[in-house]
Each structure stands twice: as C-alpha cells, then as structure tokens.
C-alpha cells in the first residue's frame, strides 16, 4: 500500500488541485457550484482558512489556502468539503455502476477522485506563480481566450483588489507559468 507524505506546516499557505472522479465535466454545473460554495462556507465557519485564489474548471479545481496559525489540518477540511458536496449532489451525480469494492470500503462516492495534489508555498515568487497559474488556467485549457471571460474564479475579485488589471492574461501569457 502506498504511504503518502504530505506537508504539515501550521499556518502555511498551500496550493491544491482536486479532480472529479473519472474527470467528469461537472464542476461548472450550477447545482455543483452551489453545493461547493455551501460546503466551503460551512467548513470555513467551523475550521477557518483563507481562500487566496480559486478556479473551478469542468473537471478539476485549483486553489490556494492559507491556514490559521497553529493549524495544519487541510486534509480534514478537504474531507469535509468533498463529503458535503458528494452528499448534496448524490441524487443527480452519483453513479452506482461506478462503485467498486475499494470505493465501498473507503466510503467514497463517484463524485471526487480519491486524492488531491498539494504543494506548500514557501516563497513570494512561488505564491505569485501559483496565483497566476490559477488565474490563467481556463485559458490554458482552451475554455476562454482571456482570463476575464471565465466566471468561475477569484480573478474578478483580484482585479477589484488591484492584484491584476482586467486585461491580464491571454493565450500569450501561458508560456511563463509553472506546469502543475
């Protein structure tokens, strides 16, 4: 059995990639967006964290979180968020025919991929590269030609905060970003 080692730094900032099971194109569906928004808010209310950046694409999402001082338990937060979304969306998105013995044993649904990718951000340049990567991701995947045209991200919030100009990031910006 594989043993995964994850970063465990209290109060740190982390970049995450989370995928749907079998890369299903469902994360931009209105009921899924609503369930995800509700799950995040509920988990944040009990287990605070700051969302520095976020983008939802049809089959995956990227986000940067900063955890409170003294707290490194992002795994519990992701577990609660994924569980809430899976339960809220089960009626329309659960696929009984995709259930395996392993999924049953681990009490999983057919909504999310089992694991996720995480990276602890330790420098300002690393933070900036990952924030840019999140913003440009819809362009990278050919969903839009300009970042401003993708509605499911924190890019517009970041424009309001002065982090990005509205015209930042088109197809030509992709070559200078990390390849996560």
């Amino acid at each position: 059995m594989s043993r995964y080692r994850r970063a465990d730094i209290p109060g740190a900032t982390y970049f995450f990639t989370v995928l749907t099971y079998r890369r299903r194109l469902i994360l931009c569906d209105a009921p899924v967006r609503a369930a995800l928004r509700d799950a995040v808010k509920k988990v944040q209310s009990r287990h605070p964290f700051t969302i520095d950046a976020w983008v939802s694409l049809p089959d995956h999402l990227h986000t940067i979180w900063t955890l409170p001082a003294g707290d490194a338990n992002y795994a519990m937060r992701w577990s609660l968020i994924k569980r809430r979304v899976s339960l809220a969306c089960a009626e329309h998105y659960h696929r009984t025919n995709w259930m395996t013995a392993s999924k049953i044993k681990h009490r999983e649904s057919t909504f999310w991929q089992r694991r996720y990718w995480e990276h602890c951000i330790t420098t300002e340049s690393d933070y900036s590269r990952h924030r840019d990567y999140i913003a440009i991701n819809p362009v990278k995947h050919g969903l839009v030609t300009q970042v401003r045209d993708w509605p499911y991200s924190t890019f517009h919030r970041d424009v309001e905060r002065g982090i990005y100009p509205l015209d930042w990031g088109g197809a030509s910006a992709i070559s200078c970003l990390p390849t996560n």
Side-chain angles (χ1 to χ4, degrees):
M1 175 191 284
S2 298
R3 294 198 53 135
Y4 291 90
R5 295 187 66 204
R6 296 203 179 269
D8 187 15
I9 303 169
T13 299
Y14 296 91
F15 170 87
F16 299 99
T17 300
V18 182
L19 283 76
T20 58
Y21 186 63
R22 296 190 179 181
R23 305 273 322 217
R24 290 173 69 194
L25 306 175
I26 57 178
L27 287 184
C28 294
D29 294 1
V32 174
R33 289 192 335 267
L36 187 54
R37 189 171 30 256
D38 183 59
V40 167
K41 285 180 182 178
K42 284 194 168 111
V43 171
Q44 274 183 316
S45 72
R46 299 191 74 193
H47 309 283
F49 62 95
T50 300
I51 297 173
D52 299 323
W54 186 293
V55 66
S56 291
L57 290 96
D59 64 349
H60 69 286
L61 64 85
H62 299 289
T63 186
I64 297 173
W65 291 358
T66 300
L67 297 180
D71 189 343
N73 199 351
Y74 56 80
M76 174 263 305
R77 289 167 173 85
W78 274 121
S79 177
L80 292 171
I81 290 168
K82 289 168 82 172
R83 179 97 173 125
R84 284 184 171 278
V85 172
S86 296
L87 290 172
C89 296
E91 182 180 352
H92 298 291
Y93 294 95
H94 182 71
R95 300 282 303 267
T96 305
N97 58 322
W98 287 358
M99 291 300 291
T100 62
S102 178
K103 285 192 133 338
I104 293 166
K105 175 186 173 186
H106 292 284
R107 299 179 56 208
E108 296 174 349
S109 74
T110 58
F111 195 95
W112 298 107
Q113 180 175 293
R114 179 171 290 167
R115 295 184 177 88
Y116 51 87
W117 193 83
E118 122 278 328
H119 165 75
C120 185
I121 296 175
T122 58
T123 66
E124 286 297 322
S125 64
D126 193 25
Y127 182 86
S128 294
R129 281 194 335 273
H130 281 84
R131 182 188 284 272
D132 290 350
Y133 181 82
I134 286 172
I136 200 76
N137 216 251
V139 174
K140 176 185 172 213
H141 287 281
L143 299 167
V144 292
T145 57
Q146 293 291 317
V147 172
R148 68 176 172 241
D149 296 333
W150 189 251
Y152 312 122
S153 79
T154 53
F155 176 75
H156 294 305
R157 178 195 74 179
D158 293 343
V159 167
E160 291 174 9
R161 292 178 176 178
I163 296 169
Y164 293 110
L166 184 58
D167 62 352
W168 182 89
S172 64
I174 293 173
S175 63
C176 62
L177 296 173
T179 55
N180 292 5

